[in-house]
């Protein structure tokens, strides 16, 4: 089976590289990882050319334009990468009977809902980045609308961290430099490990032999159990680093909670990014391999602690 994975240099792309390197499948998988230097996703003709050359059975789009604030002024570029490129992948899959795994974001919502967002809740993005990701979702859905072959999963996730720059590593860098930090407390969401997200994706898409599963095409919310806010996450990160023996100037008690309104940014963020995950868990149960549900038995905080401990162990703090 041929697998084509876009975004090899990003956090999720690196997680997929590590996952495939550490997993043994019964069948031989031909995997091609593609980065920006291999294929410019802002040029749809190059995406189409690569798809027609690689002839993938499974397309994993771990690439995205993620500069949320820059997207306010780079609207065309954000839309090219986040909407037009995945649209091309979806059209190829629908025409050739392939599978597409695509990743979207909590930013497709406005954050005004009081509880947890469901997959079919109304999209109402506040930012240009969110609009470009919402457009990508719609483009994939439309590409498969009248198709009798192929399948797709759009995984909406939030607050992703992995091998690369992210909120957690920024907090740790600042905690080494400053005695006090101010972090937003009134935005709710769930930190998601890129490793966890890659594993859950393949739980749905591949069986233990490395063969494609049939699943219901659509949107799936993919975040670990629990919830947090940026301030709570920052406190846990600093606490975990101190426990790992990292020398910091900041302590959890010296991280001051502030409101989002006190830290204005060019792009507005949703205040509530919590998403219900029942649909994805039920889809994994339907595969018959309930052992995969073990990934859902531990809270997000366990993965954050392990991530910080590993950074410390690797000398990256």
């Amino acid at each position: 089976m041929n697998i084509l994975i876009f975004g090899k240099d990003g956090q999720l792309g690196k997680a997929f590289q590590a996952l495939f390197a550490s997993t043994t499948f019964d069948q031989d998988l031909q995997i091609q990882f593609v980065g920006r230097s291999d294929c410019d996703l802002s040029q749809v003709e190059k995406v189409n050319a690569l798809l027609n050359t690689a002839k993938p059975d499974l397309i994993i789009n771990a690439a995205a334009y993620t500069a949320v604030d820059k997207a306010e002024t780079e609207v065309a570029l954000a839309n090219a990468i986040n909407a037009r490129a995945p649209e091309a992948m979806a059209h190829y899959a629908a025409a050739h009977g392939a599978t597409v795994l695509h990743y979207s974001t909590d930013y497709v919502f406005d954050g005004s809902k009081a509880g947890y967002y469901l997959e079919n809740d109304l999209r109402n993005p506040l930012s240009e980045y969110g609009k470009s990701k919402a457009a990508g979702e719609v483009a994939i859905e439309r590409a498969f609308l009248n198709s009798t072959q192929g399948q797709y999963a759009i995984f909406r996730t939030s607050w992703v961290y992995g091998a690369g720059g992210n909120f957690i590593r920024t907090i740790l860098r600042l905690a080494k430099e400053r005695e006090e930090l101010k972090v937003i407390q009134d935005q709710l969401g769930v930190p998601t490990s890129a490793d966890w997200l890659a594993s859950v994706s393949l739980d749905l898409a591949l069986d233990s032999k490395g063969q494609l599963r049939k699943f219901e095409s659509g949107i799936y919310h993919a975040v670990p159990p629990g919830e947090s806010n940026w301030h709570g996450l920052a406190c846990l990160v600093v606490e975990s680093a101190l426990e790992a023996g990292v020398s910091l100037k900041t302590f959890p008690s010296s991280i001051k909670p502030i409101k989002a309104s006190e830290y204005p940014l060019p792009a507005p963020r949703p205040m509530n990014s919590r998403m219900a995950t029942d649909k994805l868990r039920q889809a994994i149960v339907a595969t018959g391999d309930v052992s995969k549900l073990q990934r859902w038995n531990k809270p997000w905080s366990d993965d954050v602690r392990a991530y910080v401990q590993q950074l410390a162990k690797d000398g990256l703090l």
Side-chain angles (χ1 to χ4, degrees):
M1 181 171 69
N2 290 336
I3 302 176
L4 182 61
I5 302 177
F6 291 92
K8 72 174 183 180
D9 300 316
Q11 295 184 111
L12 185 55
K14 290 177 181 176
F16 272 114
Q17 290 185 63
L19 179 58
F20 278 111
S22 63
T23 305
T24 301
F25 294 104
D26 291 350
Q27 70 163 321
D28 186 27
L29 302 179
Q30 302 298 320
I31 306 172
Q32 181 179 356
F33 290 94
V34 177
R36 189 176 305 171
S37 61
D38 306 303
C39 181
D40 184 351
L41 296 190
S42 68
Q43 300 183 41
V44 70
E45 66 276 7
K46 292 189 176 181
V47 177
N48 284 324
L50 178 59
L51 290 167
N52 289 322
T53 300
K55 295 179 171 56
D57 304 294
L58 171 61
I59 303 164
I60 300 177
N61 184 27
Y65 179 108
T66 57
V68 176
D69 292 317
K70 285 182 68 176
E72 293 297 302
T73 54
E74 294 184 346
V75 178
L77 181 59
N79 275 283
I81 296 172
N82 290 344
R84 301 287 75 80
E87 180 181 36
M89 299 173 200
H91 277 297
Y92 176 90
H96 295 84
T99 295
V100 176
L101 305 183
H102 175 72
Y103 297 85
S104 192
T105 172
D106 52 301
Y107 281 52
V108 302
F109 298 122
D110 61 17
S112 63
K113 186 173 182 176
Y116 285 71
Y117 278 96
L118 303 175
E119 284 82 355
N120 59 357
D121 278 337
L122 180 68
R123 301 180 185 96
N124 189 30
L126 301 173
S127 64
E128 293 298 334
Y129 164 73
K131 291 174 184 176
S132 72
K133 295 297 288 182
E137 292 184 3
V138 173
I140 292 172
E141 291 172 334
R142 287 178 176 170
F144 278 91
L145 195 57
N146 297 312
S147 178
T148 59
Q149 58 180 351
Q151 58 184 358
Y152 71 91
I154 298 171
F155 296 103
R156 284 197 191 124
T157 191
S158 67
W159 302 11
V160 176
Y161 62 91
N166 54 62
F167 175 84
I168 292 174
R169 296 186 75 162
T170 298
I171 288 295
L172 291 170
R173 174 178 56 80
L174 294 174
K176 282 194 163 191
E177 301 170 356
R178 305 178 188 178
E179 294 183 353
E180 180 182 283
L181 300 179
K182 295 179 179 179
V183 183
I184 293 171
Q185 189 182 39
D186 57 350
Q187 288 177 342
L188 304 176
V190 186
T192 305
S193 159
D195 291 336
W196 182 92
L197 183 57
S199 296
V200 166
S201 304
L202 294 193
D203 288 347
L204 178 68
L206 296 181
D207 64 20
S208 60
K209 297 179 180 179
Q211 296 175 334
L212 282 168
R213 299 186 194 270
K214 289 294 295 181
F215 56 83
E216 181 184 353
S217 288
I219 297 171
Y220 294 89
H221 288 170
V223 293
E227 64 180 78
S228 186
N229 59 69
W230 293 115
H231 176 264
L233 174 56
C235 290
L236 177 65
V237 166
V238 168
E239 176 186 298
S240 300
L242 291 170
E243 290 174 351
V246 179
S247 177
L248 301 175
K249 291 184 178 180
T250 299
F251 295 89
S253 59
S254 56
I255 303 176
K256 306 303 180 185
I258 63 172
K259 294 182 178 180
S261 58
E262 298 176 61
Y263 189 68
L265 293 165
R269 272 72 168 167
M271 298 300 289
N272 174 28
S273 291
R274 297 173 297 171
M275 295 183 285
T277 59
D278 293 347
K279 181 180 176 182
L280 179 53
R281 282 187 283 183
Q282 289 168 5
I284 291 173
V285 169
T287 68
D289 188 356
V290 293
S291 67
K292 301 299 185 183
L293 289 179
Q294 292 176 2
R295 303 192 204 284
W296 301 85
N297 291 339
K298 59 179 180 177
W300 62 267
S301 54
D302 286 5
D303 283 338
V304 168
R305 286 185 184 277
Y307 175 73
V308 174
Q309 291 167 0
Q310 191 62 50
L311 289 176
K313 183 179 179 181
D314 294 340
L316 297 175
L317 300 181

